[in-house]
Amino acid sequence: MQEKLDLKSMSFAQVRALCDSLGFPAFRAGQIFAWCGRGITAFSEMTDLNKADRAALQAKTCLTPCKIAEKFVSTLDGTAKYLIELQNGYTVEAVVMRYRYGLSACLSTQAGCRMGCAFCASTVNGLGRNLSAGEILDQYLLLSKDQGERIGSVVLMGMGEPLDNYDNVVRFLENIADPMGVGLSHRHITLSTCGLADRIRDLARLRLQITLAVSLHAPNDALRRELMPVARRWDLGELLSACAYYERMTGRRISFEYAMIRGVNDAPAQARELASLLRPLKNCHINLIAVNPIGDGAFANTGEAGIRAFAAVLQKRGYTVTVRRSVGGDISGSCGQLRLRREEKGE
């Protein structure tokens, strides 16, 4: 039996080709693609298609909608944390944060992660599987529907390494920006990576106007290899070369993420080392993050005063530095924590 096509993972061109093969009139492709961008969960919701066309479409394709398994809302700042159940029992996490400019959603690209970063909850039990482009899109649509308003920006910074699921993530980026569907500008999308240098170069060649956020977390190769296994494959020289290439190809400023871990990577000397490391990309942005302890709490938070002192060293050397606002602290806001807690309970 032929496997059905994942309709929400299809580009508009693919939907149009499918409609041609089914003998549909040309305008059907636009209707179907638009419905996929509205978060439908059943073919019967396509009310401007006749029953025969819906039946023919359902015979060839599937929708695989995800659903909310759990939801927690922070009493501190209103951040909403979701545990989302996929079709085959895997779960992923997503977060919706409210800022003065509107809502921002943090989406997952994999169920789990195989990158093995020492301080990340998402990677504790390894990689379950990749998400399809449609499943990534479905998170956005589901959260928008639950919030009752359009979400204006997206960060691919949830569970998983987006560039380890490259083809599906690129298709998602193409589909969510398509004006025939959701129409969310790439300039409102950030993709976070732990530093897959070869895929950064691949992404650069597409010249998408997304923001690239690269997780450094260390100012030298020796420490980075301890914290992030990916550094054993691509050293900082290779990674920063790929980042410079991305900058040249896209014209976009890169953001570097740096999780502050007490006694590990937060000394003033390490701030100076980081400043020297990034000098070839001085137009970059550095985002300092208060690390979230997991497990036995081996990685402790630097603390506000320490983060400010570290930032001051970088700012003195001409860098734009921000400290990521900590949100959802009372609801295990960081991605991976909620799923890990559920798995530890045997659910």
Side-chain angles (χ1 to χ4, degrees):
M1 184 177 179
Q2 188 175 7
E3 188 175 348
K4 290 186 177 183
L5 300 170
D6 178 0
L7 190 58
K8 287 182 185 174
S9 291
M10 297 174 71
S11 66
F12 176 66
Q14 289 175 321
V15 173
R16 187 168 52 197
L18 174 66
C19 288
D20 288 344
S21 72
L22 293 173
F24 291 175
F27 63 84
R28 280 280 185 259
Q31 291 174 318
I32 293 168
F33 194 78
W35 280 116
C36 289
R38 295 175 198 166
I40 60 168
T41 59
F43 289 93
S44 59
E45 295 174 42
M46 298 182 182
T47 52
D48 52 3
L49 273 69
N50 60 53
K51 287 184 179 181
D53 285 357
R54 290 201 301 262
L57 187 63
Q58 188 168 1
K60 290 283 187 179
T61 67
C62 58
L63 292 174
T64 63
C66 56
K67 63 181 182 179
I68 298 171
E70 292 185 73
K71 176 185 176 182
F72 300 91
V73 179
S74 171
T75 58
L76 302 175
D77 51 44
T79 296
K81 178 68 176 284
Y82 297 84
L83 186 67
I84 296 176
E85 189 173 326
L86 308 177
Q87 284 290 300
N88 55 4
Y90 282 101
T91 56
V92 296
E93 296 179 32
V95 181
V96 174
M97 300 150 285
R98 184 174 290 280
Y99 297 94
R100 61 180 179 275
Y101 55 78
L103 296 180
S104 179
C106 180
L107 308 180
S108 293
T109 56
Q110 295 177 310
C113 183
R114 63 174 177 169
M115 294 297 106
C117 298
F119 47 84
C120 179
S122 293
T123 198
V124 169
N125 292 325
L127 175 65
R129 68 168 176 85
N130 288 330
L131 270 62
S132 69
E135 288 173 322
I136 304 170
L137 178 64
D138 230 26
Q139 291 174 72
Y140 172 85
L141 298 171
L142 183 66
L143 300 183
S144 292
K145 187 177 293 186
D146 185 71
Q147 291 289 326
E149 62 182 281
R150 180 182 169 91
I151 292 173
S153 64
V154 164
V155 289
L156 299 181
M157 203 176 289
M159 292 175 61
E161 162 56 55
L163 296 186
D164 190 38
N165 186 17
Y166 181 82
D167 291 339
N168 288 325
V169 166
V170 168
R171 173 57 56 78
F172 159 76
L173 292 172
E174 292 171 348
N175 284 356
I176 197 170
D178 195 312
M180 296 289 292
V182 175
L184 182 68
S185 169
H186 281 162
R187 289 183 174 269
H188 296 296
I189 299 176
T190 297
L191 184 151
S192 176
T193 176
C194 67
L196 279 63
D198 57 344
R199 286 306 195 183
I200 290 174
R201 289 181 178 275
D202 290 340
L203 190 65
R205 284 187 279 271
L206 298 178
R207 290 184 166 89
L208 304 179
Q209 290 299 292
I210 63 172
T211 297
L212 182 67
V214 178
S215 297
L216 279 183
H217 308 317
N220 58 65
D221 283 315
L223 178 56
R224 197 164 188 268
R225 283 193 292 267
E226 290 181 21
L227 297 174
M228 304 175 71
V230 70
R232 299 167 197 161
R233 172 62 181 85
W234 293 283
D235 63 24
L236 284 169
E238 292 172 294
L239 175 58
L240 293 182
S241 175
C243 289
Y245 180 71
Y246 185 91
E247 190 176 65
R248 288 196 305 273
M249 293 293 283
T250 65
R252 300 286 288 169
R253 183 179 73 167
I254 292 176
S255 178
F256 289 99
E257 311 283 297
Y258 196 95
M260 301 290 292
I261 308 170
R262 185 183 303 166
V264 175
N265 66 354
D266 61 346
Q270 290 167 313
R272 293 191 289 272
E273 191 177 7
L274 179 63
S276 297
L277 175 72
L278 297 179
R279 188 161 291 129
L281 291 160
K282 197 164 185 177
N283 187 39
C284 66
H285 164 248
I286 302 171
N287 190 21
L288 302 180
I289 306 164
V291 74
N292 291 284
I294 61 170
D296 59 6
F299 297 101
N301 194 308
T302 292
E304 186 177 341
I307 294 175
R308 281 203 309 269
F310 196 92
V313 172
L314 296 169
Q315 289 166 337
K316 186 177 179 180
R317 284 157 176 79
Y319 289 96
T320 301
V321 183
T322 56
V323 178
R324 183 184 296 173
R325 180 168 70 101
S326 181
V327 297
D330 57 332
I331 55 169
S332 299
S334 293
C335 279
Q337 293 181 324
L338 180 57
R339 185 188 72 142
L340 183 61
R341 188 177 68 191
R342 194 184 200 203
E343 288 179 355
E344 287 172 346
K345 290 180 179 179
E347 297 179 11

